[in-house]
Every structure is written in C-alpha cells, then in structure tokens.
C-alpha cells in the first residue's frame, strides 16, 4: 500500500517535469521517449522496466549486454543530464503501480547480466536469493556506494551482499531512510553517468 500510494503521489507531483523531459528528448534526438528492457523480478519472473530514453535510438542495447560507462558516446546530451540526476528512472513509478517493482529493493538486473566478465549467477552462487523480494527503484546497495559498473569482482559481489542484508533486515523505517538517502545522493548531488 505504501508503494502504490507513494508512487501515485510522486507521478502526480512529477507530471509537469515528465512532460518537459519527454519534450526535451523528442526535440533533441529521434526515437521514442521511453526505453524498455526486460529485467528479473520477484521470484525470477521477467518484467518490462520503463525508463526515459537516454541513448541514441540506434545505439541502445535492449538486451543489456553492453553496460553504460562514463563518457559513453551512445548517451545523448539530454540523456547525460537525466542519468546524472537519475531522472531517467522516474517512469519506473509505473512499474511500482503495476506491482512489478517496489520503491525500495534490490535493483532489477537484465537476465544474463555480466559481472567481472561472467554471468552474475556464475560469479555469485547465491545470486538468485535476491529475487525473494520485489525489485526496487532504489536500494541499500545503491545508497551504500554500489552503483555503476560491475566489471570488478569485489564491487559486483558487494552489491549482491547488500541486497541480501536489505531483504533480511527489511522494515518500513529502513525503506524511508533509503528513499531519503536516495533523494539526497542521486537527485540532489547527481552521482549517475
């Protein structure tokens, strides 16, 4: 109930900003406003995640094999701003209302996502335990500094460990603290690329 109420309120609050972002994307690069990709969800079920398109339409990677890196030439100028401020994630509020996601939880990965040049589930044998909770727009791993590339072994494993700590210790209070930390760290400071 908290997720649906908060996501619905946030969508209403952000409605004027969503329109401005959609127009900016449409005016500055050809292609659709929204980008979608299939991700792992609760109990390994796949779902379609929504985001604002931040890359050139001809250069995006729907399968998610090629991760975005800092200074990635595929990212549009508007997309760079959206990624830096994490505003590209706002359409995921629709996923929350649909029940595919929660506001807080393990970030949903693309099936077959690589970590340290291996499929994540081969690198971390307990990887699929993270899917015992609904995935989130933000999570404990993100606010604890595990965001971005999964090319290195240590950070890739830490991300999964944080997800499992979150699942084990979940509380509404913890969710609210993670949301506050996300707003401070992502929207106000801008740590994305």
């Amino acid at each position: 109930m908290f997720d649906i109420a908060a996501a619905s309120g946030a969508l209403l609050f952000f409605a004027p900003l969503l329109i401005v972002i959609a127009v900016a994307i449409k005016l500055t690069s050809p292609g659709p406003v929204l980008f979608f990709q299939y991700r792992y969800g609760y109990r390994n079920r796949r779902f379609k995640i929504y985001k604002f398109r931040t890359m050139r339409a001809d250069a995006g990677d729907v399968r998610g094999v090629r991760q975005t890196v800092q200074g990635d030439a595929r990212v549009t100028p508007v997309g760079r701003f959206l990624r830096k401020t994490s505003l590209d994630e706002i359409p995921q509020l629709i996923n929350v209302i649909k029940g595919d996601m929660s506001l807080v939880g393990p970030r949903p990965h693309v099936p077959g996502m690589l970590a340290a040049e291996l499929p994540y589930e081969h690198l971390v044998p307990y990887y699929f335990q993270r899917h015992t909770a609904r995935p989130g727009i933000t999570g404990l791993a993100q606010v604890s500094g595990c965001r971005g590339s999964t090319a290195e072994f240590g950070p890739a494993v830490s991300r999964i460990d944080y997800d499992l700590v979150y699942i084990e210790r979940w509380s509404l209070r913890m969710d609210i603290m993670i949301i506050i930390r996300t707003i401070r760290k992502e929207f106000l400071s801008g740590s994305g690329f």
Side-chain angles (χ1 to χ4, degrees):
M1 287 176 53
F2 172 77
D3 281 343
I4 292 171
S8 299
L11 269 178
L12 286 173
F13 177 78
F14 285 120
L17 179 62
L18 296 174
I19 293 167
V20 169
I21 291 171
V23 169
I25 291 170
K26 212 59 179 151
L27 291 176
T28 58
S29 66
V33 169
L34 292 178
F35 168 81
F36 74 86
Q37 191 175 59
Y38 286 95
R39 303 276 179 105
Y40 274 129
Y42 180 58
R43 295 187 177 160
N44 300 329
R45 293 186 194 119
R46 294 177 190 202
F47 71 97
K48 189 188 291 188
I49 195 170
Y50 300 102
K51 298 177 93 171
F52 278 121
R53 182 176 57 82
T54 59
M55 294 188 178
R56 296 188 335 266
D58 63 335
D61 181 14
V62 176
R63 290 186 313 130
V65 173
R66 189 172 158 207
Q67 286 191 346
T68 309
V69 295
Q70 199 150 3
D72 200 313
R74 299 173 297 163
V75 179
T76 66
V78 169
R80 195 161 283 112
F81 171 76
L82 294 176
R83 283 174 170 272
K84 178 131 183 87
T85 56
S86 296
L87 292 173
D88 61 319
E89 310 277 352
I90 293 176
Q92 290 171 38
L93 292 168
I94 296 166
N95 290 112
V96 173
I97 293 168
K98 285 175 60 179
D100 296 326
M101 296 177 70
S102 289
L103 292 173
V104 181
R107 284 291 296 151
H109 293 164
V110 175
M113 182 174 171
L114 298 179
E117 298 184 24
L118 292 170
Y120 231 132
E121 58 269 25
H122 294 171
L123 180 72
V124 184
Y126 48 91
Y127 173 79
F128 286 110
Q129 290 179 22
R130 69 193 298 277
H131 299 153
T132 59
R134 206 172 300 280
I137 294 175
T138 187
L140 182 61
Q142 284 64 40
V143 298
S144 300
C146 294
R147 183 169 190 235
S149 175
T150 57
E152 294 179 30
F153 174 84
V157 174
S158 290
R159 187 179 292 195
I160 305 306
D161 291 342
Y162 275 114
D163 289 341
L164 297 182
V165 166
Y166 168 79
I167 292 167
E168 185 180 308
R169 298 183 184 168
W170 177 87
S171 70
L172 183 57
R173 182 179 184 279
M174 183 183 217
D175 277 3
I176 292 168
M177 294 308 297
I178 290 171
I179 290 168
I180 291 168
R181 287 174 65 188
T182 299
I183 291 168
R184 231 185 289 144
K185 190 172 184 163
E186 303 300 331
F187 292 121
L188 302 178
S189 301
S191 67
F193 58 83

